[in-house]
Amino acid sequence: MPDALTPHPDTVLIIDFGSQVTQLIARRVREAGVYSEIVPFQSAEEGFRRLKPRAVILSGGPASTTEMGSPSAPELVFDSGLPVLGICYGQQTMCAQLGGKVEGGHHREFGRAFVEISKPSALFEGVWNPGESHQVWMSHGDRVTELPQGFEVIAASPNAPYAATADEARRYYAVQFHPEVVHTPDGAKLISNFVHKIAGLKGDWTMAAYKEQAIAAIREQVGDGKVICGLSGGVDSSVAALLIHEAVGDQLTCILVDHGVMRKDEAAQVVAMFREHYNIPLVHVDASDTFISALEGEADPEKKRKTIGRLFIDVFEAEAKKVGGADFLAQGTLYPDVIESVSFTGGPSVTIKSHHNVGGLPERMNMKLVEPLRELFKDEVRALGRELGLPEQFIGRHPFPGPGLAIRLPGGVTREKIRILQEADAIYLDEIRKAGLYDAIWQAFAVLLPVQTVGVMGDGRTYEFVCALRAVTSVDGMTADFYHFDMDFLGRAATRIINEVRGINRVVYDVTSKPPGTIEWE
């Protein structure tokens, strides 16, 4: 949201020390109905003052508190009197900063472990009881060996004698395991206990409340200015457009840029939906020749993304002049886009994904960004879309990357390869819909691999491309597992693609999963 947005009255600040699953902490807090925001440890003090949080969580990370210059939490966190939860590295820096001791060289602990609950605690209330053993997920080399004054052990594992500790009087809690991951089955309940029972937060952060707050923030930022919105046809930009239109009405003009690497017939479908259902000024620009000419022969995925982002800006700038100028450019940037495009720690999680929407506008443009979804995860955007009345069939559309099919064409881009991929992708999605599986899958798409194989079709030999099919289940796109199609479905889809798409003679199915911090065919 814009800087003008008043901080949420009940906010949990998450200080990120570089863990690849920090976003999952934010997810768990929001699932408990409490707003949360992540800031890198380098700017944690500024974030603390800006957000005025009611509680703080310290994330895990790859550093070691035993090394000089290791990251730490700002002292004002501990001086504030707020409840604090330290997780993994967060536990270690918390203990080290408060007078305890952390050492390396002990037994490392990675993966599934079991903790024995030794004392009752507000963190465990209604979830774990003394004398019980519970599964957790560990990922640490260092461990706490001496507690700060006021702390006591509330749970231990064979390789982590201080697996969970607490200073109940100061409302300080620290766990060596990761409660945010699904491999700690009761972890979400522990985080819920922290935000509700310990921090005393209400859990009334809803999409209805967010909508009203966002509309007020947009009005404050935009004033009497004009806004153009880059409408891609996906859920994110569509929800952003509807939200902004509800805030400022006809001050908004949507621009749909057909860059030539959209799904088959997608531009026409989006134009039809918006013009039939919404009274929002919409400009449809066919810039496919410009984009494809610039992409032709380009194999580097990062250059593809940047090329498309640069040309989008050029088109928007030209169209803004045609409609009488604009003061603001609206984008459907989401929270994961922002987090993954920022170098938080200099460690392994540095810039694991770049996003063509993130990074600001060229200095030559006299427009400011409006990004009303910047605080939301994908499933939260869908919930907001329902609040705004977006049709369910549109809310449920599978995510589609801004760079379009260009990043699903590993290797050089050509017009012929775009045609082949569009046709294969359309058949694949058609078969998924016919099988009644579309809503059970979070994202499905085809990829045209940069390899060709010799095949025999009928009485002749062919030398054509291999097409890979991908389908995953997910909630927020942070992690994903491949969808378990039966062989009959894969057989039907592959047969249709090979028979109907000239240029493909092999089809394979991708069965890799997506752990946190990875990317998809980019």
Side-chain angles (χ1 to χ4, degrees):
M1 291 300 298
D3 292 339
L5 179 63
T6 302
H8 294 271
D10 288 347
T11 294
V12 174
L13 172 67
I14 300 167
I15 299 178
D16 181 31
F17 292 104
S19 168
Q20 291 194 30
V21 293
T22 298
Q23 289 193 48
L24 294 180
I25 304 174
R27 293 280 321 143
R28 301 297 172 250
V29 174
R30 293 187 183 191
E31 286 166 2
V34 176
Y35 179 71
S36 62
E37 191 163 326
I38 301 169
V39 298
F41 73 88
Q42 298 97 325
S43 58
E45 185 167 339
E46 180 277 330
F48 185 94
R49 298 186 190 281
R50 172 175 56 86
L51 293 169
K52 299 178 177 60
R54 296 279 303 280
V56 178
I57 298 178
L58 310 178
S59 87
S64 171
T65 60
T66 63
E67 298 175 356
M68 290 290 292
S70 59
S72 59
E75 288 301 323
L76 86 168
V77 168
F78 302 113
D79 294 338
S80 67
L82 295 176
V84 181
L85 171 63
I87 296 174
C88 196
Y89 180 86
Q91 180 200 48
Q92 295 165 12
T93 191
M94 186 177 183
C95 287
Q97 290 182 246
L98 294 175
K101 189 175 181 180
V102 179
E103 295 180 4
H106 294 278
H107 292 292
R108 298 187 304 168
E109 201 170 20
F110 295 96
R112 185 177 293 103
F114 290 87
V115 295
E116 298 289 334
I117 312 306
S118 55
K119 289 188 177 182
S121 167
L123 189 66
F124 299 157
E125 186 178 333
V127 184
W128 291 347
N129 300 305
E132 296 177 349
S133 176
H134 291 277
Q135 179 183 314
V136 298
W137 190 261
M138 293 283 192
S139 181
H140 67 97
D142 296 353
R143 72 183 189 189
V144 175
T145 56
E146 185 177 319
L147 292 178
Q149 186 175 356
F151 278 77
E152 60 181 354
V153 178
I154 56 176
S157 75
N159 289 322
Y162 301 107
T165 62
D167 181 336
E168 303 272 359
R170 289 189 286 180
R171 297 186 296 172
Y172 290 166
Y173 299 84
V175 295
Q176 183 60 74
F177 56 88
H178 286 271
E180 68 272 30
V181 303
V182 295
H183 305 88
T184 300
D186 296 318
K189 296 177 183 177
L190 303 185
I191 291 175
S192 179
N193 274 353
F194 175 72
V195 298
H196 293 312
K197 296 182 179 180
I198 295 168
L201 304 184
K202 296 178 182 178
D204 56 0
W205 187 72
T206 64
M207 276 301 108
Y210 183 88
K211 183 184 89 167
E212 295 308 314
Q213 187 180 27
I215 287 171
I218 293 166
R219 287 173 179 161
E220 183 177 350
Q221 182 189 15
V222 171
D224 296 329
K226 293 183 178 179
V227 186
I228 58 171
C229 178
L231 190 64
S232 70
V235 176
D236 306 337
S237 63
S238 299
V239 171
L242 291 180
L243 185 64
I244 294 168
H245 185 256
E246 190 153 330
V248 299
D250 289 343
Q251 292 169 240
L252 170 70
T253 299
C254 289
I255 299 176
L256 173 62
V257 178
D258 184 352
H259 48 50
V261 283
M262 299 178 76
R263 290 187 175 117
K264 186 177 181 181
D265 300 327
E266 186 165 38
Q269 294 167 7
V270 173
V271 169
M273 195 213 59
F274 263 78
R275 287 183 175 162
E276 290 173 9
H277 290 85
Y278 303 103
N279 188 28
I280 302 175
L282 172 61
V283 177
H284 177 204
V285 183
D286 184 355
S288 54
D289 284 342
T290 300
F291 280 81
I292 295 174
S293 295
L295 291 168
E296 204 152 13
E298 181 57 69
D300 184 277
E302 193 64 17
K303 290 182 180 178
K304 292 177 185 178
R305 299 176 70 88
K306 298 302 182 185
T307 296
I308 289 174
R310 172 178 54 81
L311 292 175
F312 262 123
I313 295 298
D314 291 344
V315 173
F316 290 139
E317 188 176 23
E319 292 302 320
K321 293 177 181 177
K322 293 179 183 178
V323 298
D327 306 289
F328 298 90
L329 172 64
Q331 294 187 151
T333 306
L334 303 191
Y335 200 35
D337 301 329
V338 176
I339 297 301
E340 293 174 347
S341 296
V342 175
S343 174
F344 268 16
T345 65
S349 64
V350 154
T351 315
I352 53 178
K353 177 181 178 182
S354 63
H355 192 274
H356 70 286
N357 276 355
V358 179
L361 298 172
E363 292 184 3
R364 72 175 189 274
M365 295 186 69
N366 191 26
M367 283 194 285
K368 298 178 182 178
L369 281 177
V370 180
E371 296 176 311
L373 311 182
R374 195 178 175 90
E375 295 177 347
L376 302 182
F377 290 94
K378 176 68 89 172
D379 56 314
E380 293 171 330
V381 172
R382 288 188 167 124
L384 179 57
R386 292 185 180 95
E387 286 288 335
L388 292 164
L390 194 65
E392 193 63 38
Q393 68 268 23
F394 207 76
I395 289 173
R397 291 183 70 174
H398 291 178
F400 191 60
L405 298 177
I407 58 167
R408 292 176 181 166
L409 283 168
V413 174
T414 68
R415 294 171 189 268
E416 177 63 7
K417 287 167 68 175
I418 292 171
R419 178 199 63 79
I420 292 170
L421 181 54
Q422 284 177 329
E423 292 184 10
D425 188 71
I427 292 171
Y428 180 38
L429 293 177
D430 183 54
E431 285 297 319
I432 287 173
R433 288 189 177 93
K434 286 179 177 177
L437 300 175
Y438 190 84
D439 292 338
I441 296 169
W442 187 77
Q443 186 182 48
F445 54 87
V447 178
L448 195 66
L449 299 182
V451 293
Q452 290 176 275
T453 63
V454 174
V456 176
M457 299 180 69
D459 296 322
R461 287 184 177 274
T462 61
Y463 184 59
E464 296 178 334
F465 288 103
V466 177
C467 176
L469 304 181
R470 174 78 162 148
V472 297
T473 57
S474 181
V475 173
D476 51 26
M478 282 297 300
T479 59
D481 193 13
F482 70 92
Y483 187 81
H484 293 252
F485 285 122
D486 62 47
M487 292 305 296
D488 287 341
F489 171 85
L490 290 175
R492 289 195 303 274
T495 298
R496 274 198 64 190
I497 290 171
I498 291 171
N499 286 343
E500 298 178 31
V501 182
R502 184 173 296 278
I504 294 175
N505 66 4
R506 291 284 189 278
V507 176
V508 297
Y509 184 58
D510 176 7
V511 294
T512 56
S513 297
K514 178 190 176 188
T518 60
I519 55 180
E520 297 267 12
W521 293 100
E522 299 183 299

